[in-house]
Protein backbone atom coordinates (compact mmCIF):
# COMPACT_ATOMS: atom_id res chain seq x y z
CA UNK A 1 0.00 0.00 0.00
CA UNK A 2 1.39 3.38 -1.00
CA UNK A 3 -0.04 5.95 1.35
CA UNK A 4 -0.49 9.47 0.05
CA UNK A 5 -3.19 10.66 2.42
CA UNK A 6 -4.30 10.33 6.02
CA UNK A 7 -7.91 11.10 6.99
CA UNK A 8 -8.63 11.58 10.67
CA UNK A 9 -11.82 11.45 12.64
CA UNK A 10 -11.54 14.20 15.28
CA UNK A 11 -13.20 13.18 18.53
CA UNK A 12 -11.48 10.21 20.12
CA UNK A 13 -8.65 10.21 17.58
CA UNK A 14 -7.01 13.65 17.74
CA UNK A 15 -8.58 14.92 20.93
CA UNK A 16 -10.84 13.37 23.49
CA UNK A 17 -13.97 15.44 24.01
CA UNK A 18 -16.18 12.39 24.50
CA UNK A 19 -16.52 13.19 28.18
CA UNK A 20 -17.59 16.75 27.34
CA UNK A 21 -20.23 15.32 25.01
CA UNK A 22 -21.35 12.87 27.68
CA UNK A 23 -21.80 15.59 30.30
CA UNK A 24 -23.72 17.78 27.84
CA UNK A 25 -26.07 14.92 26.89
CA UNK A 26 -26.39 13.99 30.56
CA UNK A 27 -27.65 17.53 31.28
CA UNK A 28 -30.28 17.16 28.54
CA UNK A 29 -31.24 13.64 29.71
CA UNK A 30 -31.65 14.84 33.31
CA UNK A 31 -33.93 17.60 32.09
CA UNK A 32 -36.12 14.99 30.34
CA UNK A 33 -35.88 12.56 33.29
CA UNK A 34 -34.17 9.98 31.08
CA UNK A 35 -31.73 7.64 32.81
CA UNK A 36 -28.36 8.14 31.10
CA UNK A 37 -24.93 6.80 32.02
CA UNK A 38 -21.60 6.32 30.23
CA UNK A 39 -22.99 2.98 29.07
CA UNK A 40 -25.94 4.52 27.18
CA UNK A 41 -23.56 7.19 25.90
CA UNK A 42 -21.75 4.51 23.84
CA UNK A 43 -24.70 4.55 21.42
CA UNK A 44 -24.24 8.26 20.77
CA UNK A 45 -20.56 8.17 19.91
CA UNK A 46 -19.67 9.19 16.36
CA UNK A 47 -23.19 10.04 15.23
CA UNK A 48 -24.58 13.51 14.51
CA UNK A 49 -26.14 15.74 17.15
CA UNK A 50 -29.61 15.38 15.63
CA UNK A 51 -29.37 11.59 15.46
CA UNK A 52 -27.98 11.51 19.00
CA UNK A 53 -31.01 13.34 20.37
CA UNK A 54 -33.30 10.99 18.45
CA UNK A 55 -31.53 7.99 20.04
CA UNK A 56 -31.71 9.60 23.49
CA UNK A 57 -35.46 10.27 23.16
CA UNK A 58 -36.02 6.71 21.99
CA UNK A 59 -34.08 5.36 24.98
CA UNK A 60 -36.34 7.29 27.33
CA UNK A 61 -39.48 6.66 25.25
CA UNK A 62 -40.03 10.43 25.32
CA UNK A 63 -41.85 12.35 22.59
CA UNK A 64 -41.39 16.10 22.18
CA UNK A 65 -42.44 18.80 19.71
CA UNK A 66 -40.23 19.93 16.82
CA UNK A 67 -39.70 23.26 18.59
CA UNK A 68 -38.55 21.58 21.79
CA UNK A 69 -36.33 19.26 19.74
CA UNK A 70 -34.62 22.23 18.05
CA UNK A 71 -34.24 24.03 21.38
CA UNK A 72 -32.59 20.98 22.97
CA UNK A 73 -30.20 20.62 20.03
CA UNK A 74 -29.08 24.23 20.60
CA UNK A 75 -28.91 23.80 24.35
CA UNK A 76 -26.74 20.69 24.07
CA UNK A 77 -24.34 22.51 21.76
CA UNK A 78 -24.11 25.59 24.01
CA UNK A 79 -23.34 23.39 26.99
CA UNK A 80 -20.70 21.54 24.95
CA UNK A 81 -19.11 24.70 23.50
CA UNK A 82 -18.80 26.20 26.97
CA UNK A 83 -17.08 23.03 28.15
CA UNK A 84 -14.57 22.89 25.28
CA UNK A 85 -13.71 26.60 25.25
CA UNK A 86 -10.56 25.95 27.25
CA UNK A 87 -9.18 23.15 25.06
CA UNK A 88 -5.55 23.74 24.08
CA UNK A 89 -2.48 22.01 22.68
CA UNK A 90 -2.11 20.02 25.92
CA UNK A 91 -5.34 18.18 25.06
CA UNK A 92 -4.02 16.67 21.82
CA UNK A 93 -3.92 12.89 22.25
CA UNK A 94 -0.51 11.14 22.56
CA UNK A 95 1.39 10.57 19.32
CA UNK A 96 -0.84 12.78 17.16
CA UNK A 97 1.43 15.83 16.84
CA UNK A 98 4.48 13.70 15.98
CA UNK A 99 2.52 11.82 13.33
CA UNK A 100 1.18 15.04 11.76
CA UNK A 101 4.68 16.51 11.59
CA UNK A 102 6.18 13.31 10.26
CA UNK A 103 3.52 12.90 7.58
CA UNK A 104 3.75 16.55 6.57
CA UNK A 105 7.53 16.32 6.17
CA UNK A 106 7.02 13.32 3.85
CA UNK A 107 4.52 15.18 1.65
CA UNK A 108 1.58 13.06 2.78
CA UNK A 109 -1.67 15.01 2.60
CA UNK A 110 -4.00 15.16 5.57
CA UNK A 111 -7.70 15.74 6.09
CA UNK A 112 -10.30 15.72 8.84
CA UNK A 113 -13.47 13.66 8.37
CA UNK A 114 -15.66 14.41 11.36
CA UNK A 115 -19.38 14.43 12.18
CA UNK A 116 -18.77 17.37 14.50
CA UNK A 117 -20.12 20.77 13.51
CA UNK A 118 -17.48 22.22 15.84
CA UNK A 119 -14.48 20.60 14.15
CA UNK A 120 -12.93 23.88 12.98
CA UNK A 121 -13.36 25.51 16.38
CA UNK A 122 -11.70 22.55 18.11
CA UNK A 123 -8.79 22.39 15.61
CA UNK A 124 -8.17 26.11 16.16
CA UNK A 125 -8.17 25.64 19.94
CA UNK A 126 -5.60 22.85 19.52
CA UNK A 127 -3.47 24.88 17.07
CA UNK A 128 -3.67 22.12 14.42
CA UNK A 129 -5.70 23.73 11.62
CA UNK A 130 -2.75 24.34 9.30
CA UNK A 131 -1.83 20.65 9.04
CA UNK A 132 -5.01 19.85 7.13
CA UNK A 133 -5.63 20.52 3.46
CA UNK A 134 -9.26 19.50 3.80
CA UNK A 135 -11.61 19.74 6.75
CA UNK A 136 -14.86 17.90 6.11
CA UNK A 137 -17.17 18.30 9.09
CA UNK A 138 -20.80 17.98 10.07
CA UNK A 139 -21.62 21.22 8.22
CA UNK A 140 -20.51 19.92 4.84
CA UNK A 141 -22.19 16.55 4.33
CA UNK A 142 -25.73 15.50 3.46
CA UNK A 143 -25.39 11.99 4.91
CA UNK A 144 -23.73 11.51 8.31
CA UNK A 145 -21.66 8.46 9.32
CA UNK A 146 -22.14 5.49 8.89
CA UNK A 147 -22.62 6.82 5.34
CA UNK A 148 -19.18 7.10 3.69
CA UNK A 149 -19.77 10.62 2.30
CA UNK A 150 -17.56 12.45 4.81
CA UNK A 151 -14.52 10.29 3.96
CA UNK A 152 -15.20 10.20 0.22
CA UNK A 153 -15.38 14.01 0.22
CA UNK A 154 -12.13 14.19 2.17
CA UNK A 155 -10.26 11.96 -0.31
CA UNK A 156 -11.79 13.90 -3.17
CA UNK A 157 -10.69 17.27 -1.74
CA UNK A 158 -7.19 15.92 -1.25
CA UNK A 159 -7.27 14.80 -4.88
CA UNK A 160 -6.36 11.23 -3.91
CA UNK A 161 -7.55 7.72 -4.73
CA UNK A 162 -9.30 5.86 -1.92
CA UNK A 163 -6.71 3.08 -2.21
CA UNK A 164 -3.98 5.57 -1.26
CA UNK A 165 -5.65 6.84 1.91
CA UNK A 166 -5.85 5.56 5.48
CA UNK A 167 -8.77 6.51 7.73
CA UNK A 168 -8.31 6.72 11.52
CA UNK A 169 -11.44 6.13 13.57
CA UNK A 170 -12.46 5.25 17.12
CA UNK A 171 -16.20 4.69 16.72
CA UNK A 172 -18.31 1.93 15.21
CA UNK A 173 -20.29 4.24 12.92
CA UNK A 174 -17.10 5.82 11.58
CA UNK A 175 -15.38 2.50 10.94
CA UNK A 176 -18.48 1.30 9.10
CA UNK A 177 -18.52 4.52 7.05
CA UNK A 178 -14.88 4.20 6.04
CA UNK A 179 -15.17 0.49 5.16
CA UNK A 180 -18.26 1.19 3.04
CA UNK A 181 -16.22 3.84 1.24
CA UNK A 182 -13.55 1.24 0.45
CA UNK A 183 -10.86 2.68 2.74
CA UNK A 184 -8.19 0.94 4.81
CA UNK A 185 -9.30 1.75 8.37
CA UNK A 186 -7.14 1.94 11.45
CA UNK A 187 -9.15 1.73 14.67
CA UNK A 188 -7.53 3.84 17.38
CA UNK A 189 -7.77 3.44 21.13
CA UNK A 190 -11.18 1.79 21.47
CA UNK A 191 -10.70 -1.99 21.98
CA UNK A 192 -14.45 -2.60 21.59
CA UNK A 193 -14.20 -1.89 17.86
CA UNK A 194 -10.76 -3.45 17.30
CA UNK A 195 -12.00 -6.43 15.26
CA UNK A 196 -14.22 -4.28 13.02
CA UNK A 197 -11.39 -2.33 11.38
CA UNK A 198 -8.55 -3.28 9.01
CA UNK A 199 -6.11 -2.83 11.89
CA UNK A 200 -6.16 -1.78 15.55
CA UNK A 201 -3.69 0.39 17.45
CA UNK A 202 -3.98 1.27 21.16
CA UNK A 203 -2.91 4.89 20.47
CA UNK A 204 -1.38 7.05 17.75
CA UNK A 205 2.01 6.35 19.33
CA UNK A 206 1.71 2.89 17.75
CA UNK A 207 1.37 4.14 14.19
CA UNK A 208 4.46 4.70 12.09
CA UNK A 209 3.80 6.27 8.72
CA UNK A 210 7.07 4.80 7.39
CA UNK A 211 5.52 1.33 7.53
CA UNK A 212 3.08 2.38 4.79
CA UNK A 213 4.91 4.97 2.69
MG1 LIG B 1 -14.69 9.59 17.03
Amino acid sequence: MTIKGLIFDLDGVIVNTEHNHFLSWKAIADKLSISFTERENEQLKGISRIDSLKVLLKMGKVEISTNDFDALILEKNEHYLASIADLSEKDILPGVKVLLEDAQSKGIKMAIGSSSKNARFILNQLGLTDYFEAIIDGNGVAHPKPHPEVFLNAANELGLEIANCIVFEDAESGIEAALKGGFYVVAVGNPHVADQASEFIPSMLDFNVEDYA
Side-chain angles (χ1 to χ4, degrees):
M1 181 165 37
T2 311
I3 285 312
K4 296 177 181 169
L6 303 177
I7 304 172
F8 300 84
D9 171 48
L10 183 61
D11 270 340
V13 172
I14 285 183
V15 63
N16 198 345
T17 67
E18 291 296 357
H19 195 64
N20 305 64
H21 281 294
F22 166 66
L23 293 176
S24 304
W25 283 123
K26 174 81 179 139
I28 300 292
D30 287 350
K31 204 170 173 175
L32 298 168
S33 302
I34 297 172
S35 162
F36 188 74
T37 67
E38 299 266 12
R39 187 156 163 246
E40 281 83 35
N41 188 52
E42 281 295 315
Q43 293 181 50
L44 270 45
K45 286 184 179 174
I47 64 174
S48 72
R49 204 184 315 154
I50 287 172
D51 287 342
S52 292
L53 182 53
K54 286 180 185 165
V55 170
L56 181 67
L57 293 171
K58 208 172 163 187
M59 274 176 201
K61 300 188 175 69
V62 173
E63 285 184 28
I64 58 174
S65 69
T66 310
N67 279 351
D68 286 349
F69 188 96
D70 294 347
L72 287 177
I73 287 288
L74 283 179
E75 188 179 330
K76 190 273 171 181
N77 196 43
E78 277 163 16
H79 192 288
Y80 175 70
L81 286 180
S83 81
I84 59 172
D86 61 350
L87 281 178
S88 69
E89 193 172 335
K90 69 179 184 336
D91 297 299
I92 300 169
L93 288 172
V96 170
K97 194 80 186 278
V98 174
L99 172 58
L100 296 179
E101 278 169 9
D102 199 22
Q104 192 175 53
S105 73
K106 291 179 169 63
I108 293 171
K109 295 179 176 181
M110 290 174 285
I112 293 290
S114 168
S115 301
S116 172
K117 288 194 156 80
N118 303 308
R120 285 174 190 274
F121 175 77
I122 293 170
L123 288 170
N124 276 331
Q125 296 293 105
L126 301 175
L128 296 179
T129 308
D130 292 346
Y131 286 100
F132 302 100
E133 285 188 39
I135 298 173
I136 312 296
D137 60 20
N139 300 299
V141 293
H143 308 97
K145 300 171 187 175
H147 193 285
E149 184 179 350
V150 63
F151 296 125
L152 295 174
N153 286 2
N156 192 40
E157 265 201 38
L158 293 179
L160 296 175
E161 301 287 334
I162 288 157
N164 296 126
C165 296
I166 289 179
V167 170
F168 297 93
E169 258 292 349
D170 71 309
E172 200 172 322
S173 61
I175 291 170
E176 190 184 332
L179 290 175
K180 273 188 201 161
F183 291 91
Y184 186 89
V185 191
V186 176
V188 187
N190 179 359
H192 302 295
V193 297
D195 57 356
Q196 295 167 25
S198 316
E199 182 187 334
F200 171 73
I201 53 173
S203 90
M204 280 300 193
L205 291 168
D206 304 292
F207 185 86
N208 188 351
V209 77
E210 306 203 332
D211 297 340
Y212 302 83

